[in-house]
Amino acid sequence: MPGLLAVAGAWAAALLGTLLLCRLWHSGARKGRAAAMAAQVLACIAAALLAAASTADRFAAGVGTGTSRLRMWLDALQLWTEAAWLGHGGDTWRNMFRAIQSSPYVGGEVHSGLLDLALDTGLLGIALLAGWMLFTLRSIRCFAPRLLPPVLVFVLHGAVDFDWSFALAWMLVIWLAAWAAALKAEADFMSPQPFTEHNSTDASPVSAANRVQVSAYGAAGYAPALKRVSQPYPSRRYSSRSPERSIVPRFTCIDVFVRACNCIYTCIHRAFSHRVLGQPKRYALLLLLACWLGGTVCMTVLHHWAELEYRQAREEWVSRETRYGHLRAAYRLNPARTDVAIALSRMLSHQAATAVLLKSLSYAPHDFELYSELGRLAALVGNGYQAGQYWTEAIALNHYDHQTQSEALYWMEQTAAREVWQGRTEQARQTAAIGVQIYDRYQKLAVQVNAEHMRNDRRFLLQASAVTTGENLRRMAAGSFGRPLDLANKLK
């Protein structure tokens, strides 16, 4: 509550200060303009000091959220360089940040819409979005300059935060752009005819402009062209400087880029129009739209149906056969869901379960849970080398998760004990040696987190059970397997 009151007070003070500065600036006196400039400079300095004071705790060493965001952005840039032109595909950061994070932070969002778009679509997507945004900003600046500040807020804040991850932000930007386009169309429709000999007896440009200003309320408020016509005799105060220049600065680079985009679009449009004319062009667009909408609806229905089947399978009162039927149906409808694949694999034989999990890896190659399940299956059949490979890959994809590290050590110990029980002592020593390597890397990573005082959002530390399991693996790798009764207890 105090924070909301402070924000409301700051907003009211900023609004009153802006009105006062506007009145001083348009007063016409030199002293008034000088006072307005001085007040504006002081206000900017005060705002910068307040912003620095309010964000100082975010950049505190080891505990600030600003430090975590800097680490996120550096990790995202490193991941982006691996596919800079076309990107990695959708939801890249959410699926891969655990594998590339340099500290145990929690962040399903990269907190930068620009970086998120670069990871998904690469430089090509950034170029397309930049062209569309520059064209939109240029149209808004020319035909609705009062709408420019809110659009800039959406665009700039979304570039340094995850606003672009929500459809509402894009809907608002598109709505404001459509508003500016509507005002442009209204201004073009209501603009007077040029002064010629044919229409000079009907009405002058000045009278026509006055009628336009009275009838077109919205266009008179936003279109600068109508303001120029409605004031044919400007006052002495604005004679040396046009109203557009005093309100909106010149963006020469943006204008050049937008003109180039307009030329490219015109060439493509003319080429397409010459090839496809009349009704075939309309039918082609309708067919393309129908295919897009039909595919979207079909995928949505399949995913929703799979979710319903999976929910029914998770009910406690259903029998094993019924649960198996629901899981199999959900897997057929959406084989890309890893939780459905894992639940189904636990009801199948070893070979069938391995086939289902390997097929799911083709849809989600960076999912550590699939590798963990494959490692568990390999450990159950006594294949220590394969289990070690799967668990090593699972840890590489989620190395700051103490639960994954502890599970890997537990199943490696189980595999080594099973191989000793079966009389394969040499394979058991090799399996234990792989487990010792996993334990050493786990211990080294935990010591590094504590030594460097990293922000430990994931509560990553060396578990006491992992220490006990690691020492047991070290003894088994050295050839000390213990008594048969101890091995039997480990296998329970």
Side-chain angles (χ1 to χ4, degrees), residues 310 327 330-331 334-348 353 356-361 370 373:
Y310 183 59
L327 288 175
Y331 180 74
N334 188 8
R337 285 195 57 169
T338 57
D339 52 353
V340 175
I342 292 174
L344 179 62
S345 66
R346 292 180 178 177
M347 303 185 69
L348 301 174
V356 168
L357 295 174
L358 290 177
K359 183 179 179 180
S360 296
L361 277 178
L370 292 176
E373 190 65 21

Side-chain angles (χ1 to χ4, degrees), residues 362-432:
S362 62
Y363 296 100
H366 301 285
D367 194 286
F368 70 95
E369 294 181 350
L370 292 176
Y371 283 103
S372 300
E373 190 65 21
L374 285 169
R376 190 185 69 87
L377 288 177
L380 288 175
V381 297
N383 191 347
Y385 177 78
Q386 194 66 44
Q389 296 296 320
Y390 284 137
W391 280 111
T392 301
E393 187 65 27
I395 292 173
L397 294 174
N398 192 18
H399 51 274
Y400 281 113
D401 185 19
H402 63 83
Q403 185 176 358
T404 304
Q405 299 271 8
S406 300
E407 287 181 0
L409 295 176
Y410 169 77
W411 284 109
M412 294 306 295
E413 183 188 18
Q414 290 286 309
T415 308
R418 191 179 300 276
E419 290 173 344
V420 172
W421 187 262
Q422 295 173 357
R424 298 181 295 165
T425 56
E426 187 61 29
Q427 289 84 352
R429 292 182 60 183
Q430 295 177 1
T431 301

Side-chain angles (χ1 to χ4, degrees), residues 128-461:
L128 293 176
L129 180 66
W132 176 76
M133 282 192 172
L134 289 175
F135 180 79
T136 302
L137 291 175
R138 187 242 186 190
S139 300
I140 293 175
R141 180 180 68 88
C142 293
F143 306 110
R146 296 183 183 179
L147 301 179
L148 192 60
V151 175
L152 288 177
V153 168
F154 285 121
V155 172
L156 296 179
H157 190 268
V160 297
D161 212 331
F162 57 91
D163 298 359
W164 293 357
S165 300
F166 302 100
L168 179 61
W170 293 106
M171 291 173 62
L172 291 174
V173 173
I174 295 173
W175 172 63
L176 292 174
W179 191 0
L183 291 174
K184 174 184 178 298
E186 185 179 2
D188 293 339
F189 178 76
M190 300 298 296
S191 59
Q193 297 293 329
F195 181 78
T196 59
E197 294 180 358
H198 299 283
N199 57 7
S200 59
T201 57
D202 298 333
S204 63
V206 177
S207 60
N210 291 330
R211 289 198 302 271
V212 169
Q213 186 176 11
V214 173
S215 59
Y217 174 76
Y222 290 96
L226 297 183
K227 290 184 178 181
R228 290 198 303 269
V229 178
S230 61
Q231 295 179 0
Y233 303 103
S235 61
R236 184 179 301 175
R237 188 171 57 196
Y238 297 103
S239 60
S240 61
R241 191 173 181 180
S242 62
E244 302 91 33
R245 295 183 180 179
S246 62
I247 297 176
V248 182
R250 288 181 178 269
F251 296 106
T252 56
C253 297
I254 296 178
D255 291 339
V256 171
F257 185 80
V258 170
R259 289 175 184 176
C261 292
N262 289 336
C263 293
I264 296 174
Y265 172 77
T266 304
C267 294
I268 296 175
H269 179 69
R270 289 180 179 177
F272 182 75
S273 298
H274 284 297
R275 291 180 179 269
V276 185
L277 298 175
Q279 296 296 330
K281 179 179 178 180
R282 182 180 300 175
Y283 292 153
L285 293 177
L286 291 177
L287 180 61
L288 180 62
L289 182 61
C291 292
W292 175 58
L293 292 177
T296 303
V297 171
C298 181
M299 293 297 295
T300 303
V301 170
L302 289 178
H303 289 181
H304 184 67
W305 192 359
E307 177 65 24
L308 292 178
E309 294 285 348
Y310 183 59
R311 289 183 180 180
Q312 292 179 3
R314 293 177 61 184
E315 297 291 340
E316 298 180 356
W317 52 269
V318 298
S319 62
R320 180 179 176 84
E321 292 78 10
T322 306
R323 180 177 290 107
Y324 173 74
H326 286 305
L327 288 175
R328 191 171 182 83
Y331 180 74
R332 287 179 177 178
L333 292 170
N334 188 8
R337 285 195 57 169
T338 57
D339 52 353
V340 175
I342 292 174
L344 179 62
S345 66
R346 292 180 178 177
M347 303 185 69
L348 301 174
S349 62
H350 173 71
Q351 294 182 353
T354 303
V356 168
L357 295 174
L358 290 177
K359 183 179 179 180
S360 296
L361 277 178
S362 62
Y363 296 100
H366 301 285
D367 194 286
F368 70 95
E369 294 181 350
L370 292 176
Y371 283 103
S372 300
E373 190 65 21
L374 285 169
R376 190 185 69 87
L377 288 177
L380 288 175
V381 297
N383 191 347
Y385 177 78
Q386 194 66 44
Q389 296 296 320
Y390 284 137
W391 280 111
T392 301
E393 187 65 27
I395 292 173
L397 294 174
N398 192 18
H399 51 274
Y400 281 113
D401 185 19
H402 63 83
Q403 185 176 358
T404 304
Q405 299 271 8
S406 300
E407 287 181 0
L409 295 176
Y410 169 77
W411 284 109
M412 294 306 295
E413 183 188 18
Q414 290 286 309
T415 308
R418 191 179 300 276
E419 290 173 344
V420 172
W421 187 262
Q422 295 173 357
R424 298 181 295 165
T425 56
E426 187 61 29
Q427 289 84 352
R429 292 182 60 183
Q430 295 177 1
T431 301
I434 297 175
V436 170
Q437 294 177 2
I438 294 175
Y439 172 69
D440 290 340
R441 287 194 293 266
Y442 178 24
Q443 187 180 26
K444 182 179 178 181
L445 196 61
V447 171
Q448 181 183 0
V449 170
N450 293 328
E452 296 182 4
H453 301 287
M454 297 182 182
R455 181 181 175 90
N456 197 356
D457 295 333
R458 303 186 66 179
R459 302 295 187 267
F460 180 75
L461 48 86

